Structures are given as structure tokens and as C-alpha cells.
């Protein structure tokens, strides 16, 4: 089993936000952060970020991004097109960070260092774009609709149990009763 620090020369941690992304370069041999910069989330900004990564690294590079399918989706695509391998990292739990402070450079560094000792086979690979992403969005929307329908039905059942509207409320309302 190979760990990230054995396979890659550098890990780039990326803390993503709507307007800027912060990039931290971690040398896997020393574990030291050799650079940290923020770039705007625009096409030119991402091009500058990719160029900055290449100017400050050599060898095999792995990018560890928070939110590869939300704020990080654009940089994920740019890095993949550029030939840099991308994995998803989960942000640190708020509970474990209490009293430690928060900043984008700290978060970007944590994104990179959190995977240095992980085996490469268990890294989280982001899902691709296209049909698979569209189906994922549709399924998530369907789950929200189902959840809301159940909540609405439960609220209606509670209402007819509290207020006498002439309906036998000992059992949950049926579709026929609701349609009346």
C-alpha cells in the first residue's frame, strides 16, 4: 500500500469560496508549506493559479480540494484539463477546531496535510460532470420534494387532530380525504 507522501512530490490544498480560492503548496518530503496564495474564481484567476502551481512545484502533483462539486468545481475542471490529479477532502469538523482560529491559509494547508498519510487507494475522487452530475442533482431534488411532501402531510394530520373539521382523525389522512 502506497501513501500520498510516498507517491507525490507536492500536494496542493485548496480552500474554496465563491469569490476566491486559497492554495497551499505542501512539500511531501518535508511536510513544509512552500507557498500559499489566493486567486479570484475567474477564468484568468484560475489560469494564474495553475501557472503559479507549476512555477512552484516539480514532479508529481496532487490537488486536495474542499467542495469539488460546489465552489471548487471550476478549479477541479481546470486542474484536470491541465493534467493534475484531483481528490476531494472534507473540511475539518467545527468541533475539533474550536478555539484554534480560522483562516483561508490555515484551511488550505489543512486540506493538503490531512491526506499526506492516507493510502492512495482510499482517496475520494470527485464525480465527473455531464449526465452523472445531472442525475445526482435530479435525485437530490427528488429527495427534497419527497421530504417536503411528507412534512406537509404530517402537518395536515396534526391540524385535523387539533381542530374538529368533521374528519375522523384517529388514523392518518388518506389521499381521498386530502383531495376533497
Amino acid at each position: 500500500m502506497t501513501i500520498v507522501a510516498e507517491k507525490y512530490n507536492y500536494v496542493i490544498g485548496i480552500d474554496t469560496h465563491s469569490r476566491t480560492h486559497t492554495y497551499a503548496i505542501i512539500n511531501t518530503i518535508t511536510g513544509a508549506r512552500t507557498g500559499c496564495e489566493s486567486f479570484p474564481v475567474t477564468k484568468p484567476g484560475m489560469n494564474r493559479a495553475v501557472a503559479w502551481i507549476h512555477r512552484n512545484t516539480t514532479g508529481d502533483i496532487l490537488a486536495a480540494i474542499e467542495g469539488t462539486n460546489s465552489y471548487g468545481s471550476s478549479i477541479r475542471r481546470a486542474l484536470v484539463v491541465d493534467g493534475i490529479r484531483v481528490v476531494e477532502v472534507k473540511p475539518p469538523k467545527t468541533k475539533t477546531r474550536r478555539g484554534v482560529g480560522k483562516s483561508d491559509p490555515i484551511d488550505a494547508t489543512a486540506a493538503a496535510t490531512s491526506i499526506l498519510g492516507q493510502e492512495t487507494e482510499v482517496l475520494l475522487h470527485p464525480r465527473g460532470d455531464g449526465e452523472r452530475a445531472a442525475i445526482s442533482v435530479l435525485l437530490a431534488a427528488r429527495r427534497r420534494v419527497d421530504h417536503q411532501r411528507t412534512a406537509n402531510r404530517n402537518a395536515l394530520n396534526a391540524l385535523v387532530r387539533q381542530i374538529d373539521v368533521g374528519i375522523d382523525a384517529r388514523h392518518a389522512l388518506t389521499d381521498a380525504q386530502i383531495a376533497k
Side-chain angles (χ1 to χ4, degrees), residues 6-98:
E6 295 170 339
K7 184 171 182 176
Y8 295 95
N9 300 99
Y10 291 92
V11 175
I12 313 302
I14 305 174
D15 183 38
T16 61
H17 297 284
S18 62
R19 294 190 176 152
T20 63
H21 295 334
T22 302
Y23 303 76
I25 298 174
I26 304 297
N27 182 318
T28 60
I29 294 170
T30 64
R33 185 175 79 185
T34 60
C36 189
E37 291 288 331
S38 290
F39 295 94
V41 182
T42 61
K43 183 78 170 158
M46 286 184 286
N47 290 339
R48 285 185 12 238
V50 171
W52 176 79
I53 289 169
H54 285 297
R55 276 195 314 274
N56 291 285
T57 61
T58 57
D60 291 328
I61 305 167
L62 178 67
I65 305 176
E66 291 181 2
T68 57
N69 286 321
S70 59
Y71 288 140
S73 63
S74 54
I75 191 62
R76 171 184 50 85
R77 283 190 292 273
L79 291 171
V80 167
V81 165
D82 198 62
I84 296 175
R85 185 157 177 228
V86 174
V87 296
E88 169 129 17
V89 293
K90 301 296 180 194
K93 291 185 169 50
T94 308
K95 193 175 192 178
T96 60
R97 297 176 46 144
R98 193 163 288 136

Side-chain angles (χ1 to χ4, degrees), residues 159-167:
L159 180 67
V160 297
R161 288 185 177 129
Q162 289 177 351
I163 300 170
D164 183 20
V165 291
I167 297 175

Side-chain angles (χ1 to χ4, degrees), residues 122-136:
V122 300
L123 295 173
L124 298 173
H125 298 282
R127 301 188 191 280
D129 292 328
E131 291 176 2
R132 186 173 182 163
I135 290 170
S136 177

Side-chain angles (χ1 to χ4, degrees), residues 103-123:
S103 74
D104 295 341
I106 289 172
D107 289 349
T109 302
T113 57
S114 70
I115 64 166
L116 288 177
Q118 286 188 11
E119 294 178 1
T120 55
E121 294 81 24
V122 300
L123 295 173

